[in-house]
Amino acid sequence: MQKKKSSSPSYPRRPGPPQQVRIIGGTWKRTPLPVLDAFGLRPTPDRVRETVFNWITHQIDGDWDQLDCLDLFAGSGALGFEAASRGANAITMIDTLGPVVRQLETIKDKLKADKVRVLRADAMSAARDLAQRGQRFDLIFLDPPYQQDFLAQALPLCAQLLKPGGLVYAESGDRLPFPETAGAEDALPEWLAQWELVRGDKAGMVHFHLLKLH
């Protein structure tokens, strides 16, 4: 007897009802972005993005049209499309899941977001490849799955990918151990030692940080 093919999805699912987030500012303000029902997709909450993009806007004096951006764990695309909505010069979005990448392409086409480029690739491999090819960015978004040590792997690569004066937004389930936020007296871990905390805050279980190189 022929075995019936499974109709289950080829990617892990996230428990709970479907979600959506919205773009906070710019050309596509209030536009909803669907969140794929895949395990590990945990888009940056609207109010956190509003705070973070206010920080960034202040740091760059509002000159979004000068920025080349990299969204290394794109997921829902909330961070990358937010930057595009505000007029960023170019945005590269990278994710490893096929269904996620297809949805990002669908959103890109719907918004006619011509300055957005979507790539399906492993984030770390893609970052190494971009660095080797000499590509540099003004702003890098890092919102990886929590509890998997991705920031410790990604931040050293981001140091090679940033233009002078560039910024990294890093989100995590734990506070990064800067003395300003954690009160730590010990030396920073090696993967964090070359970074300076510009701003940091917490909302619920989300710790979010804006970083630059020393």
Side-chain angles (χ1 to χ4, degrees):
M1 181 175 177
Q2 188 174 7
K3 201 171 184 179
K4 187 177 178 181
K5 289 185 179 178
S6 172
S7 59
S8 61
S10 58
Y11 55 93
R13 301 184 71 83
R14 169 182 47 78
Q19 298 182 15
Q20 67 177 26
V21 293
R22 64 187 176 90
I23 294 176
I24 301 297
T27 303
W28 305 313
K29 185 176 181 179
R30 299 190 183 91
T31 298
L33 300 175
V35 178
L36 194 70
D37 188 17
F39 185 80
L41 255 66
R42 175 204 28 75
T44 303
D46 292 350
R47 67 191 180 104
V48 171
R49 266 184 298 115
E50 184 169 17
T51 297
V52 168
F53 276 80
N54 285 341
W55 290 351
I56 295 169
T57 299
H58 176 72
Q59 291 292 320
I60 65 173
D61 293 326
D63 292 333
W64 280 96
D65 61 345
Q66 303 297 311
L67 298 193
D68 293 330
C69 306
L70 173 64
D71 191 353
L72 199 53
F73 300 86
S76 69
L79 293 166
F81 285 120
E82 186 76 47
S85 180
R86 292 165 189 254
N89 179 58
I91 305 95
T92 300
M93 294 186 184
I94 296 173
D95 204 280
T96 190
L97 283 177
V100 170
V101 169
R102 288 192 290 274
Q103 179 161 279
L104 292 173
E105 290 281 12
T106 298
I107 296 169
K108 172 188 171 178
D109 292 343
K110 179 181 177 182
L111 295 176
K112 296 181 171 59
D114 297 334
K115 294 186 176 181
V116 170
R117 178 174 65 146
V118 179
L119 300 176
R120 182 180 182 183
D122 172 76
M124 301 305 168
S125 298
R128 292 186 192 96
D129 182 59
L130 290 169
Q132 288 172 0
R133 290 194 277 124
Q135 193 157 351
R136 300 292 180 264
F137 300 90
D138 302 285
L139 176 61
I140 299 174
F141 297 110
L142 291 180
D143 182 16
Y146 292 173
Q147 283 86 43
Q148 295 189 43
D149 205 31
F150 280 125
L151 288 183
Q153 300 174 55
L155 280 171
L157 292 171
C158 289
Q160 304 172 44
L161 287 167
L162 271 187
K163 294 181 185 179
L167 297 166
V168 169
Y169 169 69
E171 188 175 316
S172 63
D174 299 305
R175 183 184 289 112
L176 295 182
F178 289 101
E180 303 96 307
T181 58
E185 298 297 330
D186 297 333
L188 288 174
E190 185 177 351
W191 56 270
L192 203 55
Q194 61 187 322
W195 295 95
E196 175 184 339
L197 180 68
V198 178
R199 297 289 299 268
D201 208 341
K202 179 187 180 213
M205 302 300 291
V206 177
H207 295 266
F208 50 105
H209 318 78
L210 194 62
L211 310 175
K212 66 179 180 181
L213 289 167
H214 285 301

